[in-house]
Amino acid sequence: PRIKPFLDEFQSCYQDKYRWYAGVYVCSWMILLIAITLSDYILLLSILVIIATAQYLVQPYRTKWLNIVDTLLLTDLTFLTGLLLVQNKEYAINFGVEKK
């Protein structure tokens, strides 16, 4: 069986010059999984900011609304991680925020 038609369909949402961007997502999610496993929320937050900024600058999708939705979802995930960072007692003490 030929796998090329399957892969072409998987990457058809990307512009032709950005078909490699699917690999960026796979690598970034593996790095995020490591950061989550280590419970290093500052590393997690910084990686999410880098990914969201890259998504905003590159705009790899063919349709504009996919670029907007993906950027908004990554930004939302970044804000939620920031809230988790403030909620976490260990990091909250380091930032001078008292935990109630």
Side-chain angles (χ1 to χ4, degrees), residues 1 7 11 18 21 23 28-29 34 37 42-43 45 47-49 53 55 57 68-69 71 74-77 80 96:
L7 293 177
Q11 296 179 342
Y18 295 123
Y21 204 78
S28 63
W29 291 123
I34 292 169
T37 304
I42 294 176
L43 175 66
L45 187 63
I47 291 170
L48 284 170
V49 168
T53 304
Q55 163 63 31
L57 294 175
I68 292 170
V69 167
T71 302
L74 286 169
T75 305
D76 183 50
L77 187 59
L80 289 173

Side-chain angles (χ1 to χ4, degrees), residues 4-25 58 60-62:
K4 186 176 181 336
F6 174 73
L7 293 177
D8 285 343
E9 187 62 34
F10 175 68
Q11 296 179 342
S12 66
C13 62
Y14 296 107
Q15 297 176 31
D16 288 335
K17 62 182 179 178
Y18 295 123
R19 293 204 176 223
W20 52 268
Y21 204 78
V24 171
Y25 276 130
V58 173
Y61 295 110
R62 292 180 188 261

